Amino acid sequence: MPHRTELYEDTPSACWPIVYSPDYNITFMGLEKLHPFDAGKWGKVINFLKEEKLIADDLIVQAREATDEDLLVVHTRRYLNKLKAGKLAVDRGWAINVGGGFHHCSSDKGGGFCAYADITLAIKFLFERVQGVSKATIIDLDAHQGNGHERDFMDDHRVYIMDAYNRYIYPGDGFAKRAIKRKVELEWGTEDTEYLQKVHTHVEGALNELKPDIIIYNAGTDILDGDPLGGLAISPQGIVKRDEVVFKAARRRRIPILMVTSGGYQKRTARIIADSILNLHNLGLIDKELATIGAENPKAVKNFEWNGLLKRKEDVFFILKM
């Protein structure tokens, strides 16, 4: 029998399915400023979204602390920080964890700034606890190979992995590559046109090859031009467009999607993540009203025949009449 957990307690339907906690932001006597990872990035994203009047504190889903029993779903007795967004994505059609995406950690080994296997844990929780979720696709578009979840799902045919990464940088894990169903190895300095064409082609190909019950989208911003660790040359506009491509593909197929923000080692990445979320909202690809309708009446959303994107409040009201 599944163990008792508080991670998936009911979330108020008025909340956006955006998960965050101030505890995501790490400080240690100023030493965090010397590290290439911006440990305050997640709080900056939230502040930008507040400035744009998209969200407020009482509309954000507060992440919960995982217990030892929760950890044992994936890990031995190792520390885990936060988890919640997987079930929200299934319930609402989409969710964004402003943190997360620690794709170099597997069930028995950390690596590359990644202390816990949140992608693996989210998928295993969904398989164990959420009815109707038996297949998952990981779309990993961080600049680095996602060797942690690849090792965890090496022989698990329920999980399809697409991974696009700079072939020359960390971790270069040849064993883990065996788990990738759709491998997109990029050259140094790859720019927008080539990158976006490959993302579009391979995301469509992956979702046509297997329609999953959930997409876990690892949306690293370390693909940004000038990133000291990514080695690619994608513009801010290219990152925004990339996220749009993935969400459009999920929406067309009516597949729930969970986005995590993963790597990104420049100060400007927080602004780009916020701009991308705002763009998804402006296009109707994420919508608080629609998410609330999905929570209160999932059948109405499931039965709706999507003809393009929901861009207007009138479209949302139309669903309510069904």
Side-chain angles (χ1 to χ4, degrees):
M1 293 292 293
H3 71 279
R4 189 166 181 261
T5 181
E6 296 183 359
L7 290 175
Y8 286 154
E9 286 186 356
D10 290 339
T11 300
S13 60
C15 288
W16 285 83
I18 295 177
V19 179
Y20 171 71
S21 168
D23 291 342
Y24 285 0
N25 304 294
I26 302 168
T27 59
F28 186 71
M29 300 172 62
L31 293 177
E32 72 280 356
K33 296 176 182 178
L34 303 177
H35 197 281
F37 195 92
D38 182 1
K41 174 174 69 175
W42 305 288
K44 294 172 186 174
V45 173
I46 292 296
N47 287 335
F48 286 136
L49 296 178
K50 288 179 181 178
E51 290 173 4
E52 298 293 337
K53 309 299 184 186
L54 181 68
I55 58 174
D57 285 332
D58 59 348
L59 299 179
I60 300 170
V61 178
Q62 293 295 318
R64 293 178 179 271
E65 188 86 23
T67 67
D68 285 350
E69 291 302 312
D70 295 323
L71 302 184
L72 291 173
V73 172
V74 172
H75 291 285
T76 54
R77 297 270 178 187
R78 77 170 59 232
Y79 177 76
L80 182 69
N81 195 1
K82 306 289 180 183
L83 176 75
K84 185 155 186 141
K87 187 173 184 296
L88 269 174
V90 174
D91 289 344
R92 307 289 191 92
W94 66 272
I96 297 171
N97 187 349
V98 176
F102 302 109
H103 64 159
H104 297 307
C105 184
S106 60
S107 61
D108 61 355
K109 184 179 180 182
F113 310 152
C114 300
Y116 61 90
D118 61 326
I119 292 175
T120 300
L121 187 55
I123 291 173
K124 291 199 172 187
F125 261 72
L126 290 170
F127 285 169
E128 178 185 286
R129 295 179 175 276
V130 179
Q131 186 176 6
V133 180
S134 60
K135 296 177 299 201
T137 289
I138 299 170
I139 296 176
D140 195 333
L141 301 185
D142 186 273
H144 300 81
Q145 176 200 350
N147 62 320
H149 58 74
E150 288 160 9
R151 284 176 171 264
D152 285 338
F153 293 118
M154 178 67 66
D155 299 312
D156 193 331
H157 300 294
R158 300 171 299 174
V159 179
Y160 184 106
I161 298 174
M162 172 194 160
D163 199 349
Y165 54 88
N166 183 337
R167 68 170 73 208
Y168 300 109
I169 61 175
Y170 178 89
D173 190 334
F175 176 77
K177 289 179 183 180
R178 294 164 48 189
I180 304 172
K181 300 294 194 301
R182 189 170 284 263
K183 180 169 57 178
V184 186
E185 295 194 319
L186 303 170
E187 300 293 328
W188 286 108
T190 298
E191 297 181 345
D192 285 18
T193 300
E194 178 186 354
Y195 179 77
L196 291 171
Q197 184 273 325
K198 287 184 174 180
V199 167
H200 180 270
T201 297
H202 289 285
V203 166
E204 291 291 324
L207 297 178
N208 287 339
E209 191 169 332
L210 174 71
K211 183 177 179 180
D213 302 308
I214 181 73
I215 295 168
I216 309 296
Y217 172 36
N218 200 41
T221 47
D222 52 1
I223 63 171
L224 181 63
D225 186 24
D227 189 280
L229 301 183
L232 303 177
I234 310 305
S235 70
Q237 296 77 17
I239 291 175
V240 171
K241 184 65 179 179
R242 175 201 67 176
D243 295 349
E244 179 184 322
V245 166
V246 176
F247 271 77
K248 280 184 175 179
R251 172 60 62 86
R252 281 197 303 272
R253 294 166 174 84
R254 292 184 289 171
I255 303 171
I257 181 169
L258 164 60
M259 172 177 160
V260 291
T261 57
S262 202
Y265 307 98
Q266 299 183 73
K267 297 298 183 184
R268 57 184 177 143
T269 59
R271 177 73 256 184
I272 295 168
I273 293 168
D275 286 343
S276 180
I277 293 172
L278 291 166
N279 180 62
L280 295 174
H281 175 251
N282 291 337
L283 291 173
L285 292 166
I286 63 174
D287 190 283
K288 176 177 172 289
E289 288 92 346
L290 179 60
T292 301
I293 293 166
E296 295 171 351
N297 188 4
K299 185 177 180 181
V301 176
K302 183 178 181 181
N303 291 338
F304 184 72
E305 293 297 329
W306 301 99
N307 293 312
L309 305 176
L310 296 178
K311 296 183 180 179
R312 307 168 301 149
K313 287 186 176 179
E314 290 85 349
D315 294 320
V316 176
F317 296 148
F318 173 72
I319 294 178
L320 281 169
K321 296 176 183 177
M322 295 184 65

